[in-house]
Amino acid sequence: MKAEIHGDTLCVSSVKELGAANANAFRDWVRKAVSDRQKNIDIDLSETTFIDSCGLGALVALHKTACSKKGLLRLLRPQTGVLQIIELARLDRVFQVVKQ
C-alpha cells in the first residue's frame, strides 16, 4: 500500500485486498498516516480485487475519521466486483464513489 499527501487529502493506493486478514491493520495504518492537516481520505480501489464485510467495516471507520475532521472519504475507480459489494451493502449512499 502507498500513501501520498495532496494538500488536505491523504491518497491511499495499491490496495490489493480488504478482508478479514488485513482490514484492521489497513484501518490503523491509514489513521496513522492522516495528519492534522488532512481532512479528506481518497482510497484508490483500482487494484483491489477482493473486499468483504470486514473491509467494508474498515472503510466505514475511515469515513467516520474523515467526518470527525469535517472531511470526506472518497472511493476511487473500484473494480466491478468491488463496486457490486459496495452497492449491495448500499454504502454507495454513504461514500462518494468516483468511477472514472
Side-chain angles (χ1 to χ4, degrees), residues 28-47:
D28 295 343
W29 181 79
V30 173
R31 281 183 175 163
K32 287 180 184 175
V34 175
S35 74
D36 292 337
R37 290 186 295 269
Q38 285 83 52
K39 64 178 184 175
N40 301 311
I41 303 171
D42 285 354
I43 302 178
D44 184 344
L45 296 176
S46 62
E47 296 180 36

Side-chain angles (χ1 to χ4, degrees), residues 2-19:
K2 299 177 188 173
E4 297 177 359
I5 296 170
H6 296 124
D8 65 354
T9 303
L10 175 72
C11 302
V12 179
S13 61
S14 299
V15 180
K16 304 297 182 197
E17 295 185 352
L18 268 177

Side-chain angles (χ1 to χ4, degrees), residues 20-72:
N22 70 338
N24 289 340
F26 172 78
R27 179 200 62 219
D28 295 343
W29 181 79
V30 173
R31 281 183 175 163
K32 287 180 184 175
V34 175
S35 74
D36 292 337
R37 290 186 295 269
Q38 285 83 52
K39 64 178 184 175
N40 301 311
I41 303 171
D42 285 354
I43 302 178
D44 184 344
L45 296 176
S46 62
E47 296 180 36
T48 308
T49 58
F50 174 81
I51 192 166
D52 66 9
S53 61
C54 294
L56 293 175
L59 294 177
V60 169
L62 293 173
H63 170 72
K64 289 180 180 180
T65 298
C67 287
S68 73
K69 297 173 168 244
K70 301 199 182 335
L72 53 93

